Amino acid sequence: EAGVTQFPSHSVIEKGQTVTLRCDPISGHDNLYWYRRVMGKEIKFLLHFVKESKQDESGMPNNRFLAERTGGTYSTLKVQPAELEDSGVYFCASSQTQVGYEQYFGPGTRLTVT
Amino acid sequence: KQEVTQIPAALSVPEGENLVLNCSFTDSAIYNLQWFRQDPGKGLTSLLLIQSSQREQTSGRLNASLDKSSGRSTLYIAASQPGDSATYLCAATHRNQFYFGTGTSLTVIP
């Protein structure tokens, strides 16, 4: 069974540009999460989807970040326009149920904004 | 607000030694606590998940304990091996969100 996959693995963009990150969860997992780790800090929650609905987006830093999960399968996280402080590693995770079950993480996308 | 702390930030031990990694959290109202391993450039691999009603979980040479009242969890690694070298992260589920510690970077010296 394939695990959580993320694309691209690494992205380097200039300040002001747009970047879209993609996450494909484990098949059958209704719950999808986005996290971010900036340099030297802990991994922080961004948002949580249950199928195609946003269950909790309290961790989204500002309105430059837009997450979608059309059809309840893969998800995209768009950053527009990107700022220097957006640099970091963006992780996606999925789980079968919301709580009580393990979250399975993807390898992450390293975003560098120059 | 839940805060998760891991001590030490880095640890270096000779091969074969038993070791303990510590994780503390400020709000005891957690649903569960999960330990992860992260290798350089890779994602997070789940090691052990402890539900709030449990005291410990074991998998092979790994044993994780949970003491909610004191806000602590420990990950015990027996007979450490060079392949155990990685960053170990704990994460507490609190109000349907995951709160991560900053991790402990472990190096096992052959």
Side-chain angles (χ1 to χ4, degrees):
Chain A
E1 177 184 293
V4 178
T5 58
Q6 293 186 245
F7 182 83
S9 59
H10 193 183
S11 179
V12 181
I13 61 171
E14 294 182 353
K15 176 182 173 181
Q17 290 186 322
T18 298
V19 63
T20 300
L21 314 180
R22 173 171 169 146
C23 168
D24 286 78
I26 292 173
S27 178
H29 282 193
D30 288 339
N31 293 271
L32 187 149
Y33 308 81
W34 282 99
Y35 297 88
R36 176 174 75 168
R37 184 172 197 170
V38 296
M39 184 68 72
K41 301 286 188 179
E42 70 273 20
I43 298 171
K44 287 194 173 179
F45 167 86
L46 295 178
L47 88 158
H48 169 210
F49 282 99
V50 177
K51 296 185 180 179
E52 68 275 9
S53 300
K54 292 176 184 174
Q55 181 81 359
D56 182 352
E57 53 184 331
S58 61
M60 295 287 264
N62 51 62
N63 58 11
R64 295 185 293 103
F65 289 76
L66 175 63
E68 295 180 324
R69 192 183 182 195
T70 306
T73 54
Y74 71 90
S75 174
T76 58
L77 179 64
K78 180 188 288 187
V79 185
Q80 179 183 30
E83 298 289 344
L84 297 178
E85 64 265 25
D86 300 332
S87 295
V89 181
Y90 291 76
F91 291 101
C92 173
S94 71
S95 69
Q96 284 186 309
T97 64
Q98 181 172 343
V99 290
Y101 281 80
E102 293 179 55
Q103 293 192 19
Y104 296 86
F105 280 74
T109 293
R110 180 173 296 278
L111 174 64
T112 303
V113 182
T114 62
Chain B
K1 181 191 171 191
Q2 178 74 271
E3 291 185 5
V4 179
T5 305
Q6 290 187 248
I7 295 174
L11 181 64
S12 184
V13 301
E15 181 177 2
E17 192 164 296
N18 302 327
L19 59 102
V20 175
L21 306 181
N22 297 293
C23 172
S24 61
F25 43 94
T26 55
D27 192 326
S28 62
I30 63 170
Y31 193 88
N32 57 39
L33 189 135
Q34 196 165 349
W35 282 92
F36 295 88
R37 167 186 174 139
Q38 185 178 23
D39 293 283
K42 300 290 181 64
L44 280 65
T45 301
S46 177
L47 297 174
L48 289 165
L49 172 69
I50 312 176
Q51 302 293 350
S52 62
S53 58
Q54 298 174 324
R55 298 284 290 183
E56 65 178 329
Q57 283 286 334
T58 298
S59 175
R61 294 182 294 108
L62 305 179
N63 176 277
S65 68
L66 176 64
D67 184 343
K68 280 181 56 178
S69 61
S70 66
R72 292 179 183 175
S73 176
T74 62
L75 179 66
Y76 174 82
I77 302 178
S80 59
Q81 302 171 358
D84 295 331
S85 298
T87 296
Y88 291 80
L89 297 158
C90 67
T93 302
H94 175 70
R95 294 184 181 177
N96 295 332
Q97 286 193 18
F98 248 23
Y99 291 85
F100 279 88
T102 50
T104 294
S105 177
L106 172 66
T107 302
V108 180
I109 303 167

